Amino acid sequence: MHRPSLKAAVSALLLLLSGAASAAAQANTGTANFSRYVALGDSLTAGYMSNSLVRDVQLNSFPALIWRQALGTATGFEQPLVSQPGIPPLLTLRGLLPTVITPKSNTPGNPLNLNLPRPYNNLGVVGADAQDVVATVTGGFHDLVLRGQGTQLQQALALRPTFATVWVGNNDVLGAVLAGRVIDDVTLTTVARFEPAFRQIVTSLNAAGARLAIGNIPDVASIPFVTTIPPVVVDPRTNLPVRIGGNLVPLVGVTPGQDFVLLSAAGLLGQGIGIPAALGGRGTPLPDEVVLSGAEVATIRARTAALNGIIQAAASQAGAAVMDLNTEFTEITQRGVTIGGVTYTTAFLTGGFFSYDGVHPTPFGYAFIANLFIDAINTQFGGEIPPVDLFPFMFGPEASAGFVPSTAASAQ
């Protein structure tokens, strides 16, 4: 099965930065028919960013971008849009030394098109796992997206899709990361539970006549939520490690070189938890829920590989385009990607790829992901869909969506 390389994707994007391509008219989509396109998945499909679902970012979710590039118009692709400051309110950066990130408001935004008389094209539900796609109708963000009218899969089939993207499975492993604990079938989905649900999604859409593009599961243990906080004491005034006698000082209860301190530990560290008493801290260890052991990370990665094997097998049987996001994200984590002289990495706050929650991409990140999907779709189905022009997501208003308040979005 084809896996587009990061180098090939970047080359295509650079062409757009020079103005070589445009989505002003319907593109040659090959044997893929986008006339009725639906997207199934989780928060990454929904366009969630900085712990919020908000219109500014949703308008450039990766499925919405694929639609615009394929059909040359934004009209017709419906999403469960939310007004500023989003649901929940977007996180915003308040300070750097020390780093302070808080919600931009105490009052959430409002749904803007709950009365759409048909299912949304973007059915991605924040927090959904593979089983939710086939079985869950209500609860949490399901109420906003599904409106009690059936599961994601049922509503997708009701639209008689000609094309569908499926990117699900992230929450089947992410739960263990967010909880800081690996508990089979509680925080980490078992193979036995994941496989029938995922195969049902793919076979049902395929049987309905939809062509498919499927994304696999990135290494969630490499996201900024896991990698940002070092296992040693850091001076919050300088963000530099503290040294005593030239040696780094481990956090209490953490083994450097083995354990990973989660971003959720930041508040506890600010209270002195995990800081040795000799350095003014409480001298108490960080709790287990904000620390992942090396063994737990190894278990999460092994399960991710197993679930990705299921995804690959189901996609191959359905003749789907496959986007190997696990490999692509790993390459970005290890080497970054340079576009138009700007290097993007997965570093928290400074990398440009991940938002303030340390889990979800920025607008640039979503546009980059859209282009990876487009590359895979073109290769599998013989199309010539132009990649998204990244310039606005680097230097234009799209780049600040979700970071700088949008007057236009707030007024709607």
Side-chain angles (χ1 to χ4, degrees):
M1 186 65 67
H2 168 76
R3 183 193 71 77
S5 69
L6 184 61
K7 181 179 179 180
V10 171
S11 296
L13 302 181
L14 286 172
L15 286 176
L16 268 182
L17 285 174
S18 64
S22 172
Q26 183 167 338
N28 172 15
T29 60
T31 58
N33 178 357
F34 282 85
S35 60
R36 293 189 300 276
Y37 166 39
V38 296
L40 296 88
D42 49 40
S43 54
L44 294 171
T45 292
Y48 199 74
M49 188 191 93
S50 292
N51 198 44
S52 182
L53 197 64
V54 64
R55 177 184 180 274
D56 303 42
V57 184
Q58 289 176 278
L59 291 178
N60 291 310
S61 65
F62 87 83
L65 293 174
I66 292 174
W67 170 274
R68 291 208 292 272
Q69 296 305 113
L71 297 183
T73 178
T75 303
F77 190 84
E78 297 289 349
Q79 304 184 91
L81 301 177
V82 177
S83 68
Q84 279 276 355
I87 299 177
L90 277 157
L91 295 177
T92 188
L93 182 65
R94 306 287 189 182
L96 283 174
L97 294 173
T99 300
V100 179
I101 297 174
T102 63
K104 68 190 302 183
S105 172
N106 293 322
T107 304
N110 298 300
L112 296 174
N113 57 343
L114 271 179
N115 296 322
L116 184 73
R118 65 168 179 83
Y120 298 112
N121 295 82
N122 190 339
L123 293 164
V125 176
V126 177
D129 60 19
Q131 185 66 29
D132 286 324
V133 174
V134 301
T136 302
V137 176
T138 62
F141 278 91
H142 288 86
D143 294 330
L144 172 68
V145 180
L146 303 181
R147 299 170 291 168
Q149 298 173 20
T151 66
Q152 277 195 61
L153 182 58
Q154 289 170 337
Q155 294 198 37
L157 294 173
L159 289 176
R160 297 180 295 113
T162 57
F163 195 87
T165 50
V166 178
W167 192 14
V168 68
N170 301 288
N171 287 315
D172 290 280
V173 295
L174 182 62
V177 172
L178 298 180
R181 292 173 176 163
V182 173
I183 307 173
D184 253 352
D185 233 10
V186 178
T187 64
L188 189 64
T189 302
T190 60
V191 169
R193 185 171 179 267
F194 178 84
E195 184 165 17
F198 191 82
R199 287 192 176 276
Q200 181 181 350
I201 297 167
V202 174
T203 56
S204 297
L205 292 168
N206 193 234
R211 299 275 190 170
L212 302 173
I214 298 175
N216 68 4
I217 306 169
D219 178 10
V220 294
S222 293
I223 59 178
F225 187 83
V226 177
T227 61
T228 296
I229 297 181
V232 296
V233 177
V234 172
D235 186 337
R237 297 167 299 180
T238 63
N239 277 349
L240 296 175
V242 172
R243 292 180 182 271
I244 297 180
N247 298 316
L248 298 173
V249 182
L251 295 172
V252 181
V254 177
T255 303
Q258 296 181 24
D259 298 342
F260 296 78
V261 181
L262 305 179
L263 197 59
S264 50
L268 297 176
L269 291 170
Q271 299 170 34
I273 299 172
I275 307 297
L279 293 178
R282 298 188 183 184
T284 54
L286 287 169
D288 182 57
E289 59 265 26
V290 298
V291 179
L292 276 178
S293 69
E296 287 176 320
V297 169
T299 299
I300 294 168
R301 284 174 166 159
R303 185 62 50 81
T304 299
L307 300 190
N308 278 343
I310 293 168
I311 291 171
Q312 180 66 57
S316 296
Q317 291 175 5
V322 178
M323 183 60 254
D324 186 359
L325 290 155
N326 186 281
T327 297
E328 298 293 350
F329 273 42
T330 298
E331 289 185 8
I332 296 170
T333 299
Q334 293 175 348
R335 291 179 286 278
V337 57
T338 300
I339 300 175
V342 179
T343 298
Y344 289 83
T345 72
T346 57
F348 188 55
L349 300 184
T350 61
F353 201 93
F354 281 95
S355 65
Y356 294 147
D357 60 26
V359 175
H360 299 92
T362 58
F364 169 84
Y366 279 121
F368 189 89
I369 290 167
N371 281 340
L372 294 176
F373 267 98
I374 288 170
D375 188 18
I377 292 167
N378 283 339
T379 300
Q380 183 69 14
F381 301 114
E384 296 178 354
I385 303 171
V388 176
D389 182 356
L390 289 186
F391 185 90
F393 296 94
M394 298 171 69
F395 307 111
E398 287 84 352
S400 61
F403 293 102
V404 178
S406 168
T407 303
S410 302
Q412 295 192 30

